[in-house]
Amino acid sequence: AQRVTQPEKLLSVFKGAPVELKCNYSYSGSPELFWYVQYSRQRLQLLLRHISRESIKGFTADLNKGETSFHLKKPFAQEEDSAMYYCARPGEGGSEKLVFGKGTKLTVNP
Amino acid sequence: DTGVSQDPRHKITKRGQNVTFRCDPISEHNRLYWYRQTLGQGPEFLTYFQNEAQLEKSRLLSDRFSAERPKGSFSTLEIQRTEQGDSAMYLCASSLVLAYNEQFFGPGTRLTVL
């Protein structure tokens, strides 16, 4: 089965430090990958998608086909970045559903 | 608030009872999705609709679960003969047809089965 794997359940960094949240995928063909974020007491929301190559709230994610990774990075973490982060991909065979990883809880300490 | 809404936000029930949840999507969105999330896991797909048509159901969705979207607007998810293993957060999301990968999520309904 095509999967996304987030190897870290928890990640803790200090404010101003770089942060990298890992996502690995097993996929055939051209993958489409996304990062969703859930801040405390807020709804799950799209953060960014690989196809748009955008930077949102200082975060970027580069698709590395050689390493089958889509890691989320930010050079200088802020306390407001503390949240749950989920890597996701579409379902197989053109399905419209999203398949999520188990998530990484990021804590940015002051 | 013009976002996705869900009702109720919390539901406590006894094992064996039936429960029904409602989701109101963003008004112009014709796709509506249901997911379930348990502690320590990401959201898990249950089913989705395009307008009133149910286009896909997860193989994990037992026949105790049924979902409808009768007029292509709001949707209901019913669980019959609830079991303790059904305890979870039930999330609804909606999207436009051409932007399926940006799904807008509701606040969820937390179900506790005693």
Side-chain angles (χ1 to χ4, degrees), chain A residues 9 32 34 36 38 43-46 49 51 86 90 92 94-103, chain B residues 1 3-5 31 33 35 37 40-43 45 48 56 91 97 100-103 105-107:
Chain A
K9 289 184 96 171
E32 297 180 66
F34 317 98
Y36 275 74
Q38 187 167 25
R43 304 168 185 212
L44 191 60
Q45 59 186 287
L46 178 67
R49 69 198 93 181
I51 198 167
Y86 297 95
E92 299 174 22
S95 169
E96 305 291 338
K97 68 185 182 187
L98 287 173
V99 177
F100 290 87
K102 292 186 177 183
Chain B
D1 184 4
V4 177
S5 62
R31 289 233 166 99
Y33 310 80
Y35 294 86
Q37 186 172 24
Q41 303 294 318
F45 171 76
Y48 89 92
E56 185 176 349
L91 297 169
V97 171
Y100 73 91
N101 51 21
E102 181 161 14
Q103 296 182 14
F105 283 80

Side-chain angles (χ1 to χ4, degrees), chain A residues 19-103:
Chain A
V19 62
E20 180 179 76
L21 295 107
K22 292 183 168 55
C23 173
N24 292 94
Y25 66 90
S26 62
Y27 215 90
S28 58
S30 298
E32 297 180 66
L33 291 157
F34 317 98
W35 278 99
Y36 275 74
V37 62
Q38 187 167 25
Y39 301 102
S40 179
R41 299 189 184 87
Q42 294 188 29
R43 304 168 185 212
L44 191 60
Q45 59 186 287
L46 178 67
L47 179 62
L48 54 78
R49 69 198 93 181
H50 94 277
I51 198 167
S52 58
R53 294 179 170 273
E54 56 202 343
S55 173
I56 303 292
K57 299 184 179 182
F59 284 97
T60 58
D62 291 323
L63 184 65
N64 186 322
K65 291 185 180 180
E67 295 183 356
T68 60
S69 68
F70 186 57
H71 301 332
L72 184 68
K73 300 177 184 179
K74 185 170 183 176
F76 308 103
Q78 302 299 314
E79 289 180 68
E80 55 266 29
D81 296 327
S82 296
M84 282 293 301
Y85 291 82
Y86 297 95
C87 185
R89 63 160 179 84
E92 299 174 22
S95 169
E96 305 291 338
K97 68 185 182 187
L98 287 173
V99 177
F100 290 87
K102 292 186 177 183

